[in-house]
Amino acid sequence: MVIHVVVAEDMGLLRGALCAALSGEEDMEVVADVEGVGELLTVVRRYRPQVVVLALTPELPDPVEVVTRIGVEAPNAAVLAMSPRWSPALVEAALAAGARGLVGKDCSLAELVRSIRALATGERAIDPAAAVAVLSPPEIPLTPREMDVLRMAAEGSPLKEIAVRLYLAHGTVRNHLSMILRKTGARNRTEAVWHARRNGWL
């Protein structure tokens, strides 16, 4: 049986390398590769792959929602989620959304191929790093007040509303957000929220 695979990865170079490597396997065929999540759902409906290799990225406001949507659009497609770093919250959310496999972006080709084959036969494939993440949650570098600000930012609250709800000056909230971005290495609020969720802080 040839396993039909769809690869979803926003980095073109990595996506091309993945497709080339997987296509080199005798029992695999990459039927499509996509960059954006919007076209991913269309491709999944069209090709009905056995396995979808999905890279979770900070650019997705709620990447786990995509896993759920794939399950709705193509119930027989098993999702193998890839992440550069697994946290207890992300592991739990990805599995709850229906992902059947979790691998790190630094996994070997042999490990990736084994995981795809396992999912194609109805099994699960959990990267050891993902399993360890559940047992060893990372420390939170943010202060309690910074966490308050981040929680409200995650709700989509504007700066003015955050300031009112926390009884803080507008400039103070801005300073807290700047510190949050610095500590998380994020470029914007959306990325900071994703970083916090990925690491299990929210």
Side-chain angles (χ1 to χ4, degrees):
M1 180 189 75
V2 175
I3 304 168
H4 290 173
V5 181
V6 166
V7 175
E9 162 62 57
D10 65 329
M11 294 178 62
L13 188 61
L14 178 55
R15 188 170 69 252
L18 278 173
C19 292
L22 296 179
S23 295
E25 299 294 321
E26 292 184 358
D27 60 344
M28 291 183 194
E29 179 185 353
V30 178
V31 294
D33 63 279
V34 297
E35 177 182 358
V37 170
E39 57 183 322
L40 170 61
L41 298 174
T42 301
V43 163
V44 167
R45 281 195 300 268
R46 180 184 305 153
Y47 292 100
R48 301 287 171 178
Q50 278 91 21
V51 179
V52 177
V53 179
L54 172 65
L56 305 182
T57 66
E59 284 69 31
L60 301 178
D62 189 356
V64 174
E65 184 180 337
V66 180
V67 178
T68 304
R69 291 285 302 279
I70 292 172
V72 172
E73 301 290 349
N76 294 324
V79 175
L80 178 61
M82 292 193 305
S83 176
R85 184 178 177 187
W86 289 105
S87 70
L90 186 56
V91 169
E92 182 180 345
L95 293 177
R100 291 230 303 270
L102 309 176
V103 294
K105 276 200 169 183
D106 59 349
C107 76
S108 66
L109 174 60
E111 186 178 348
L112 179 63
V113 168
R114 279 197 302 271
S115 298
I116 291 173
R117 286 178 179 146
L119 265 62
T121 59
E123 299 177 15
R124 286 183 176 272
I126 309 298
D127 187 311
V132 169
V134 178
L135 302 175
S136 307
E139 293 183 7
I140 302 175
L142 305 181
T143 66
R145 181 54 89 189
E146 288 166 353
M147 284 301 302
D148 290 339
V149 171
L150 187 59
R151 284 190 194 94
M152 291 189 186
E155 296 170 5
S157 302
L159 259 63
K160 187 177 293 186
E161 183 181 336
I162 294 175
V164 170
R165 289 173 63 186
L166 293 179
Y167 304 100
L168 296 172
H170 188 276
T172 301
V173 173
R174 190 185 301 278
N175 290 339
H176 280 313
L177 281 172
S178 295
M179 188 58 69
I180 289 168
L181 296 184
R182 188 179 309 162
K183 288 182 177 180
T184 60
R187 293 169 294 183
N188 51 51
R189 283 169 42 162
T190 300
E191 225 177 88
V193 169
W194 160 238
H195 184 90
R197 285 176 175 161
R198 183 185 68 184
N199 286 289
W201 307 341
L202 290 177

